[in-house]
Amino acid sequence: MAPAAAAAAAAAAEGDDAILRNRAPSATAAAAGLARDDSGVNLAAAAADEKPPRGDVPDGDEDEDVLPDPEEEEERKKMIASFHTSIVSAKTGWQSVTPFRQVIFLYKLFFSRQFFVHRVVGLVFLLQYAAAFYLYFADYATFKASVLVFTLPGTGVFQTVTAIYTFTFLPKKAKDGGYFGDKSIMSYPFIIENSFFALILYYAYLYFDDRGRSLLQSTVLVEQVFVFFPYILRTLWPKTSFRDSYENQRNRTSKRDMFFRAAIMITKSFYVWAKHYIGYFLNYARFLDRVNNEEVRFIQQVLIFSSFSTTISIFLQTLKVCFYSDRQRVEIFIRLAHR
């Protein structure tokens, strides 16, 4: 029994260290496996709180309380972190993309060969809009004296012209413009129709700027036509219908039907109000010299936001169709731009 007792003593002395290291040396494990007293009790297991070394446990039957291997634990943490990162990346989309990929995305968005002119003009408009927005709120005097009052709405008109000559492949349906729906794309008549509103907005920019107003008053009929008879000119453009968009359920999924119905009614209500107040009433007041400089300043703020709803909202609509962003979130953003 002397050799067995010596082996048991050695195993008991090293049992704790072996468990902390999560692996017992093979020689110690072998000795501990043979070290048993007369009753057959494993002395090494008793010395280690009845937890046998891993060498004694068959594969697949490891005790759950055994401390994991440090290298394996570190690898497991890395895998969890990697999985968490992939989930966050899938949810955050653009924010999870590296700066280099963001630059590539923007480059392809604005400088791809397909529709190149339209893309570049759109980029020029966005840059001017950002400058106008900043200057108006940060330094109104500079904004008022700048050429942005002329170039921003002028670029908006030119953008609609490039769209007319670029997107000739769009559906030619005349009534439903395809603007209100998550399964539809804008129709070609809707693209043409938008040029009328861009032109009306251009006139408003000029008319509420002293330099532009002097230029318009030097003409024979331009001021009178745009102040009193703008919607006679409207007959020269195709006309899409809110009613047809409301009744056409094929352009939207059933789960978003109520959302788009509400959006159509809100937009239609705003259109009627904007036509008679932002359009007719303010032009009448300007024509009669009943608008002071402070009021002109606030009207120009309205015009800047109108540039968003006339031009940038159409851009967002194309992003929705191209799946660059979540459809319903873009729709909400577009509707807010029209309010």
Side-chain angles (χ1 to χ4, degrees):
M1 292 294 297
E14 297 182 4
D16 290 340
D17 291 338
I19 291 176
L20 291 176
R21 290 193 304 270
N22 206 17
R23 299 196 188 281
S26 57
T28 303
L34 296 175
R36 299 181 180 275
D37 62 4
D38 294 337
S39 62
V41 176
N42 190 318
L43 298 179
D49 296 330
E50 300 182 356
K51 293 180 181 179
R54 289 180 64 112
D56 270 356
V57 182
D59 292 341
D61 294 332
E62 291 88 355
D63 196 314
E64 292 181 355
D65 294 331
V66 176
L67 296 178
D69 181 70
E71 294 181 0
E72 292 180 359
E73 181 67 11
E74 185 67 22
E75 185 66 24
R76 186 182 70 85
K77 291 180 179 180
K78 289 181 179 180
M79 291 178 64
I80 293 176
S82 176
F83 178 75
H84 176 72
T85 301
S86 66
I87 295 297
V88 173
S89 299
K91 291 183 177 180
T92 57
W94 166 262
Q95 297 178 357
S96 67
V97 180
T98 62
F100 176 75
R101 290 182 178 273
Q102 292 179 6
V103 172
I104 295 300
F105 170 82
L106 292 175
Y107 177 82
K108 291 182 178 181
L109 181 62
F110 292 109
F111 297 104
S112 295
R113 289 186 177 182
Q114 191 178 29
F115 316 140
F116 179 77
V117 174
H118 182 72
R119 292 172 186 268
V120 171
V121 174
L123 176 60
V124 172
F125 179 89
L126 292 175
L127 294 175
Q128 290 183 94
Y129 185 84
F133 192 92
Y134 171 78
L135 288 176
Y136 178 86
F137 290 101
D139 188 355
Y140 175 72
T142 301
F143 166 79
K144 186 177 180 179
S146 70
V147 297
L148 289 172
V149 176
F150 303 98
T151 60
L152 175 62
T155 306
V157 173
F158 185 51
Q159 175 75 339
T160 62
V161 173
T162 62
I164 291 172
Y165 285 95
T166 299
F167 302 112
T168 56
F169 54 86
L170 291 175
K172 302 302 189 292
K173 53 186 178 181
K175 294 298 182 181
D176 182 4
Y179 188 76
F180 299 94
D182 55 351
K183 297 196 301 182
S184 63
I185 60 176
M186 292 176 290
S187 67
Y188 188 64
F190 182 85
I191 297 295
I192 300 175
E193 180 185 27
N194 191 58
S195 65
F196 169 78
F197 298 105
L199 183 61
I200 291 294
L201 183 60
Y202 188 23
Y203 173 82
Y205 268 97
L206 296 179
Y207 202 43
F208 286 93
D209 180 83
D210 293 337
R211 298 164 294 175
R213 188 188 183 196
S214 299
L215 178 63
L216 292 171
Q217 289 179 332
S218 65
T219 62
V220 178
L221 293 175
V222 174
E223 182 185 21
Q224 289 75 12
V225 169
F226 276 89
V227 170
F228 298 103
F229 309 108
Y231 284 86
I232 291 180
L233 299 176
R234 178 75 172 84
T235 59
L236 301 176
W237 275 262
K239 182 178 181 298
T240 58
S241 171
F242 286 111
R243 180 181 301 172
D244 288 335
S245 297
Y246 186 85
E247 295 176 352
N248 186 6
Q249 299 184 13
R250 293 178 298 176
N251 283 349
R252 50 188 181 266
T253 56
S254 58
K255 67 177 182 179
R256 292 178 177 172
D257 181 65
M258 292 303 298
F259 169 79
F260 284 108
R261 286 179 180 272
I264 292 171
M265 297 306 299
I266 292 172
T267 306
K268 183 176 182 178
S269 301
F270 169 81
Y271 174 78
V272 174
W273 178 80
K275 175 181 177 181
H276 292 279
Y277 180 77
I278 299 178
Y280 282 125
F281 173 74
L282 295 182
N283 285 340
Y284 293 161
R286 183 66 165 171
F287 184 82
L288 298 172
D289 289 323
R290 305 296 291 273
V291 182
N292 59 38
N293 291 333
E294 188 66 18
E295 291 168 338
V296 167
R297 176 175 181 173
F298 286 107
I299 292 172
Q300 288 177 325
Q301 178 181 332
V302 173
L303 297 179
I304 290 175
F305 285 108
S306 297
S307 292
F308 189 103
S309 62
T310 304
T311 303
I312 299 180
S313 64
I314 305 299
F315 171 70
L316 292 176
Q317 181 79 357
T318 61
L319 291 186
K320 182 202 73 171
V321 173
C322 294
F323 301 100
Y324 282 121
S325 50
D326 179 73
R327 289 183 168 187
Q328 190 168 16
R329 290 181 182 178
V330 172
E331 287 291 345
I332 294 173
F333 201 46
I334 291 172
R335 302 302 156 241
L336 291 176
H338 281 279
R339 296 185 64 178

